[in-house]
Amino acid sequence: MEAVRDRIPDAQFCGVGGPKMRAAGLDCWEDAEALAVMGLTEVIKHLPRLLKLRRDLVRRFSSVAPDAFVGIDAPDFNIGLAKRLRSRGIKTVQYVSPSVWAWRQGRVKTIAKACDRVLCLLPFEPDFYSRHRVDATFVGHPLAQQIRPTADITVPRKKVGLSPEGPVLAVLPGSRSGEITRLAPDFLEAAAMLSEQVPGLSVLVPLASESGATQVRQLMNDHGIPGNFRISVGDADVCMAAADILLLASGTASLEGLLHGKPMVVAYRLAPSTYRIVNTLGLVKLEHFSLPNLLTETPFVREFVQDEITPAALSNALLPLLDDQNRVEMLRSFSEVRDQLAVNADERAATAVIETARSGARL
């Protein structure tokens, strides 16, 4: 939004967004949290509300007749919305390609019908789209411009109240309640086990919200998990910078860990009913699921999924990462990926959106 306005000072923005988009000048019709629903079976109970929201947005966007509609992530919602708007003559852009190259590849046909352009964060994605005649542009990842490895680890450690010395583990079990419920007990027990093996280990547990922090504290109490862990809210970036190693839920956090240059273990657990559907129908097409392993030539990151996730397995995978000799090649590869992604994503995305809007001959 800011990069577009730098070029078109009177540009106006309306639609769905969060606090940062509102601060940047969005006329916010609905909070982005309304779209924060994961999984297959989990969506069902929210479906009537989501369908009503999409109908309302089709009506309002059709009335405004914007030069371009930009769907940001949330592909199952936004691509359906884009298809309806495109049929009304509105140019459509999907910013952040869904992982269509990884699972439910048939969605690419719908994307071709719905989107004038797809903006890709990962360098291998445009090749997939070109095979299906979809206009896709690699713009880089905005986080790669923002996150750099910490030159002096004492600075972030001071911010979180730790001494410069001693090993530090950061545990990030996800931001959504369902993720936390499914992963936090095993993550926290693994951290407790590792603490018994590594004298002086400090454990940081940053959460995205106060409700998430409350949930983690309750889970620790319910499961009798020992450990004097530092549970905090809203400082995940600082905690990652302060840590030596990370235990993460799969997702953007794993990419953030790569950009910080931190060895990590990644886990992913779906609701059992969703996992059965995905497994039975063979919807996943990749050998690896964590972003670092998809972006590096060698899959350095240990991954655990569903029943593979146990405290002992996670703890055993984390322990070798504290040895510097086991980190050299991994961190060199992470640095190469960072350079590949840090190509000024905001400017590239703004250029692509403006080009697409101007192709409609109204801007």
Side-chain angles (χ1 to χ4, degrees):
M1 288 172 61
E2 292 169 353
V4 168
R5 192 176 280 123
D6 284 343
R7 304 184 197 187
I8 307 175
D10 60 349
Q12 299 178 47
F13 305 90
C14 59
V16 178
K20 291 183 179 179
M21 291 179 68
R22 287 196 295 271
L26 177 75
D27 177 7
C28 191
W29 297 344
E30 186 78 25
D31 195 273
E33 280 295 315
L35 306 182
V37 182
M38 290 182 65
L40 300 175
T41 59
E42 297 90 329
V43 170
I44 293 173
K45 65 180 179 180
H46 295 278
L47 195 57
R49 173 181 63 81
L50 292 170
L51 291 175
K52 180 181 183 302
L53 174 59
R54 189 156 65 187
R55 288 193 299 270
D56 291 344
L57 290 173
V58 169
R59 175 181 54 80
R60 295 189 72 172
F61 280 128
S62 298
S63 176
V64 171
D67 295 288
F69 164 75
V70 182
I72 301 174
D73 211 3
D76 289 319
F77 184 90
N78 279 327
I79 290 170
L81 176 55
K83 184 177 180 181
R84 289 159 177 78
L85 295 178
R86 195 183 192 196
S87 71
R88 289 163 170 77
I90 295 171
K91 290 294 181 178
T92 59
V93 178
Q94 175 65 17
Y95 189 13
V96 184
S97 165
S99 301
V100 66
W101 33 266
W103 77 302
R104 293 169 57 200
Q105 291 191 359
R107 289 179 295 170
V108 72
K109 296 177 182 177
T110 303
I111 294 170
K113 295 176 182 177
C115 301
D116 289 293
R117 200 162 190 175
V118 178
L119 307 187
C120 302
L121 305 189
L122 307 178
F124 58 80
E125 292 175 320
D127 285 343
F128 173 85
Y129 280 108
S130 69
R131 297 197 295 270
H132 297 275
R133 299 180 181 178
V134 176
D135 186 1
T137 303
F138 170 61
V139 297
H141 204 296
L143 287 177
Q145 299 293 137
Q146 302 166 19
I147 298 175
R148 308 298 296 181
T150 302
D152 183 2
I153 202 167
T154 63
V155 175
R157 289 195 176 186
K158 184 176 181 180
K159 288 182 180 179
V160 297
L162 295 179
S163 68
E165 305 301 325
V168 178
L169 164 68
V171 176
L172 295 94
S175 58
R176 297 178 176 87
S177 176
E179 286 181 303
I180 294 171
T181 298
R182 290 189 288 270
L183 289 174
D186 286 311
F187 276 24
L188 296 168
E189 287 187 34
M193 292 178 67
L194 190 65
S195 296
E196 293 178 359
Q197 297 175 277
V198 181
L201 179 72
S202 297
V203 180
L204 306 175
V205 189
L207 282 306
S209 65
E210 193 59 55
S211 61
T214 300
Q215 187 180 357
V216 165
R217 293 187 186 98
Q218 187 62 52
L219 286 169
M220 289 186 70
N221 184 62
D222 291 346
H223 290 263
I225 299 171
N228 184 23
F229 304 156
R230 179 189 179 277
I231 299 172
S232 58
V233 176
D235 61 351
D237 189 61
V238 178
C239 288
M240 283 192 192
D244 294 294
I245 56 174
L246 311 174
L247 176 57
L248 303 164
S250 181
T252 303
S254 65
L255 179 63
E256 293 177 33
L258 177 151
L259 295 173
H260 277 290
K262 304 294 180 176
M264 70 190 80
V265 171
V266 176
Y268 193 60
R269 179 180 275 147
L270 294 165
S273 54
T274 298
Y275 183 73
R276 283 195 296 271
I277 293 170
V278 169
N279 220 23
T280 301
L281 298 180
L283 297 177
V284 178
K285 303 296 183 183
L286 291 179
E287 183 179 354
H288 298 286
F289 60 83
S290 69
L291 283 172
N293 283 346
L294 295 174
L295 291 167
T296 55
E297 291 185 9
T298 301
F300 290 105
V301 174
R302 289 287 304 276
E303 300 173 340
F304 296 86
V305 65
Q306 222 63 13
D307 293 340
E308 296 173 353
I309 303 170
T310 67
L314 297 175
S315 178
N316 290 338
L318 286 166
L319 184 60
L321 298 181
L322 289 168
D323 185 340
D324 288 341
Q325 290 184 342
N326 295 327
R327 303 152 57 107
V328 176
E329 285 302 309
M330 180 192 305
L331 299 186
R332 180 192 58 77
S333 187
F334 284 3
S335 178
E336 291 175 356
V337 170
R338 186 189 314 110
D339 292 342
Q340 193 175 20
L341 297 179
V343 290
N344 208 337
D346 291 347
E347 292 296 328
R348 286 194 176 198
T351 298
V353 168
I354 292 170
E355 287 175 354
T356 305
R358 284 180 171 156
S359 70
R362 293 197 295 126
L363 188 63

